[in-house]
Amino acid sequence: MTYTVQVKVMPLKELLDPQGKAVMGGLSNLGLETIKDVRIGKHITLQVDAADEASAKEQAATAAKKLLANPVMEYFEISVSE
Amino acid sequence: MKFGVVVFPGSNCDRDMQDALQNDLKQNVTMLWHKDKDLSTFTTEDCIVLPGGFSYGDYLRCGAIARFSPMMQSVIEFANAGGKVLGVCNGFQILCESQLLPGVLLRNANQQFICKNVYIKGVGSDKALSIPIAHGEGRYHADADTLASLEKNNQIIYRYCDAQGNITPAANPNGATKNIAGICNEGRNVFGMMPHPERACSDTLGNTDGRLIFKALVMNGIAQAKLASLV
């Protein structure tokens, strides 16, 4: 069975995100003053062959820990769909 | 001693590094292809250099994909066996991703790619060296415990400073924590720095401060960098 696994990678909350800050400036210029903060990360989609959902998730977590995210600067979240 | 300069797809300071080491510093240099992994002709007296550039297009994170190239597996073994490894700019990013050095290089605080001459100062030295930087992701970051151990073990080798050698926030080009421009590992055989000493080794280019860095760090050994940087 092939599962589609979504990996969300975001900069750690305590770190400055210059990209988010720049986009925030753009949104303010648009007059969208209700938007108070922007943080920008990555959304990665994986196609994973696995026996079940838990195993698909586990393989994605290994990929995220080893390569997709760097824990010194980022955290990640994983969700699975068929 | 001899040097090996690793060439990744997207490296663009590899030839500058070769030229500086070979022609300006009269050293023996071998170029190493990222797909090879043979370092059997190198001993721990030698030095492997990871040059600047944009390995693998900086995809995912700077240095993240280079870390898994065949040659890097050998470089990691070489470093763990005590061999000297120098990473400049993208090379520093690769060393951090490989966990040969602690911490990480984040996007510059001012959101810009910065290409200019800056001043840096070696540990234990009062002399400010003028060295160019050229990076978009050079803001050194590590957690508080890591920073404390870097300080304690004297691993912060270069900091950004002004022309007089004062380490001030204004002299920090990219927002790096504690003005950090270059660090070494605890074993003092692996060294990474964002500024480009290889671009400052030739009289023709009008700046030879980079020679002092190569001599202090690599030829005299990182352990003696403190003494050598006083010269």
Side-chain angles (χ1 to χ4, degrees):
Chain A
M1 174 112 205
T2 302
Y3 291 87
T4 302
V5 184
Q6 316 285 349
V7 184
K8 181 175 98 172
V9 181
M10 292 299 293
L12 291 177
K13 294 192 165 74
E14 63 269 29
L15 292 184
L16 169 73
D17 172 20
Q19 201 179 179
K21 212 172 129 190
V23 171
M24 183 69 218
L27 292 173
S28 303
N29 291 342
L30 278 177
L32 296 170
E33 278 157 20
T34 52
I35 299 173
K36 295 298 175 197
D37 190 32
V38 181
R39 295 189 69 78
I40 296 179
K42 300 183 187 90
H43 185 109
I44 301 165
T45 306
L46 307 173
Q47 300 296 327
V48 184
D49 282 336
D52 53 42
E53 199 176 306
S55 140
K57 205 168 175 176
E58 197 183 311
Q59 289 175 63
T62 305
K65 277 180 207 153
K66 288 198 169 168
L67 177 60
L68 304 180
N70 180 340
V72 182
M73 60 196 268
E74 294 162 328
Y75 67 95
F76 65 87
E77 285 167 13
I78 291 173
S79 57
V80 186
S81 57
E82 279 181 15
Chain B
M1 80 180 282
K2 62 178 178 296
F3 289 83
V5 177
V6 183
V7 183
F8 296 101
S11 293
N12 68 359
C13 301
D14 47 330
R15 302 289 151 182
D16 292 27
M17 185 62 77
Q18 179 187 28
D19 187 77
L21 291 170
Q22 226 162 39
N23 300 329
D24 299 324
L25 291 147
K26 309 294 176 206
Q27 299 295 308
N28 184 355
V29 182
T30 308
M31 301 307 275
L32 302 167
W33 186 235
H34 67 106
K35 282 190 177 167
D36 297 332
K37 47 179 166 186
D38 183 16
L39 288 181
S40 60
T41 59
F42 288 84
T43 72
T44 51
E45 289 306 301
D46 300 326
C47 179
I48 302 296
V49 183
L50 308 182
F54 302 83
S55 58
Y56 300 87
D58 275 353
Y59 292 164
L60 197 62
R61 293 180 308 279
C62 305
I65 301 177
R67 179 249 178 278
F68 291 99
S69 68
M71 181 52 80
M72 272 312 293
Q73 308 320 301
S74 305
V75 172
I76 291 167
E77 274 175 37
F78 177 79
N80 289 334
K84 292 178 190 172
V85 180
L86 168 67
V88 170
C89 199
N90 188 225
F92 186 11
Q93 294 163 342
I94 296 169
L95 289 174
C96 287
E97 281 286 343
S98 305
Q99 294 174 9
L100 287 174
L101 291 175
V104 73
L105 283 311
L106 298 171
R107 183 78 56 94
N108 295 341
N110 69 357
Q111 306 153 29
Q112 288 172 10
F113 187 98
I114 308 168
C115 185
K116 64 174 186 182
N117 285 308
V118 299
Y119 289 99
I120 58 173
K121 193 163 86 164
V123 56
S125 166
D126 287 329
K127 186 174 158 51
L129 303 172
S130 172
I131 303 287
I133 56 167
H135 58 245
E137 286 88 2
R139 177 167 52 111
Y140 184 80
H141 164 79
D143 62 33
D145 289 347
T146 306
L147 288 170
S149 91
L150 286 174
E151 295 264 20
K152 183 169 150 263
N153 301 323
N154 225 7
Q155 286 171 251
I156 302 170
I157 306 280
Y158 288 108
R159 293 183 206 252
Y160 299 108
C161 63
D162 63 19
Q164 286 74 45
N166 303 306
I167 297 165
T168 63
N172 185 343
N174 54 25
T177 307
K178 293 180 184 285
N179 282 41
I180 291 173
I183 59 168
C184 69
N185 66 344
E186 224 179 317
R188 306 189 91 74
N189 61 314
V190 179
F191 175 73
M193 65 189 297
M194 287 313 295
H196 286 273
E198 79 280 10
R199 296 188 188 180
C201 285
S202 151
D203 290 319
T204 316
L205 297 178
N207 182 356
T208 55
D209 281 2
R211 288 186 195 178
L212 297 172
I213 291 178
F214 283 112
K215 285 180 182 159
L217 285 176
V218 187
M219 289 154 207
N220 300 339
I222 296 166
Q224 283 89 45
K226 190 173 173 180
L227 286 174
S229 61
L230 290 167
V231 175

